């Protein structure tokens, strides 16, 4: 169970992302974005070492899904995936990574899709997030995921020897649902700048 600390972060997560998002191929906003945190959820690391967060940020009417992991030391071999470092008021220096390159997050995402893990509220300890929905119709566990590949709208992971691909939506679309024939999926909600709630597809496991 992840313990949520209500304390200071320098820089804040949104400040960190404002410098990183414009370097991503799936980001289509301004070079100096004014971002707002708009939703998301957390997953628990079974080992209790890594913070796992799927954050939604908005820039105007555009919404982006940003999976992040937070670690107390650098992740070996993941320098290319480092978003930045933050000073946490309780935990000290935290290394924030694009979670698509962190095996703890990808394992947690598969566990969520398959129903072996439960989405947790972003800012409240030990509280399920009931706005996150998932499904899985596969015959057994997904054997694993290949290396992530960014496109102009998503991050994609091939399933080795499975003929499947997991597409994690980065540029979110309100009202989107799982494609026909999807083996599994995750949907969630976020808040628009005008205060209305939107819902859409976060991830889909489907034929490659």
């Amino acid at each position: 169970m992840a313990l949520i600390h209500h304390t200071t972060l320098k820089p804040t997560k949104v400040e960190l992302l404002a410098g990183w998002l414009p370097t991503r191929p799936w980001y289509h906003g301004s070079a100096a974005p004014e971002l707002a945190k708009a939703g998301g959820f957390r997953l628990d690391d079974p080992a209790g070492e890594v913070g796992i967060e799927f954050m939604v940020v908005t820039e105007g009417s555009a919404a982006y899904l940003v999976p992040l992991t937070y670690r107390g030391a650098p992740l070996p071999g993941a320098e290319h995936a480092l978003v930045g470092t933050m000073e946490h008021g309780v935990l000290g220096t935290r290394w924030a990574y694009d979670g698509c390159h962190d095996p703890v997050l990808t394992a947690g995402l598969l566990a969520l899709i398959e129903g072996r893990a439960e989405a947790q509220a972003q800012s409240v300890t030990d509280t399920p997030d009931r706005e996150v929905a998932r499904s899985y119709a596969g015959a057994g566990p997904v054997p694993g995921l290949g290396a992530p590949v960014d496109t102009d709208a998503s991050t994609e992971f091939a399933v080795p020897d499975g003929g499947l691909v997991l597409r994690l939506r980065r540029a979110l679309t309100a009202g989107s649902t799982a494609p026909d024939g999807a083996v599994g999926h995750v949907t969630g909600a976020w808040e628009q700048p005008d205060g209305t709630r939107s819902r859409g597809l976060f991830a889909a496991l489907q034929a490659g």
Side-chain angles (χ1 to χ4, degrees):
M1 179 186 69
L3 179 62
I4 306 301
H5 299 281
H6 296 281
T7 185
T8 58
L9 275 177
K10 296 181 180 179
T12 66
K13 297 173 186 177
V14 169
E15 289 170 342
L16 204 63
L17 290 177
W20 179 79
L21 277 182
T23 70
R24 303 298 94 192
W26 38 262
Y27 172 77
H28 308 294
S30 68
E34 294 185 7
L35 303 175
K37 183 177 176 181
F41 64 93
R42 288 181 174 264
L43 293 175
D44 284 337
D45 170 19
E49 295 293 329
V50 179
I52 306 172
E53 182 175 18
F54 289 75
M55 183 185 295
V56 178
V57 294
T58 55
E59 184 194 23
S61 61
Y64 298 93
L65 179 63
V66 187
L68 296 166
T69 56
Y70 311 109
R71 290 175 168 268
L75 174 62
E79 295 82 3
H80 63 290
L82 182 67
V83 177
T85 59
M86 304 176 292
E87 290 302 317
H88 189 283
V90 175
L91 301 175
T93 304
R94 304 291 283 172
W95 281 259
Y97 288 92
D98 178 353
C100 290
H101 297 265
D102 193 320
V104 173
L105 183 141
T106 55
L109 178 57
L110 286 179
L112 173 65
I113 292 172
E114 295 172 3
R116 296 181 286 108
E118 187 174 34
Q120 299 293 311
Q122 219 172 6
S123 303
V124 185
T125 299
D126 196 24
T127 302
D129 187 332
R130 302 301 184 191
E131 287 193 300
V132 176
R134 41 71 52 194
S135 74
Y136 182 62
V142 178
L145 297 174
V149 177
D150 285 336
T151 73
D152 63 355
S154 64
T155 298
E156 301 185 354
F157 307 81
V159 176
D161 303 319
L164 298 173
V165 62
L166 176 62
R167 289 192 173 92
L168 186 74
R169 298 292 296 268
R170 296 299 209 132
L172 298 176
T173 302
S176 56
T177 58
D180 292 341
V183 176
H185 77 275
V186 177
T187 60
W190 64 94
E191 187 171 293
Q192 296 285 6
D194 63 3
T196 60
R197 297 290 286 177
S198 290
R199 184 173 189 83
L201 181 68
F202 282 5
L205 183 64
Q206 59 193 103

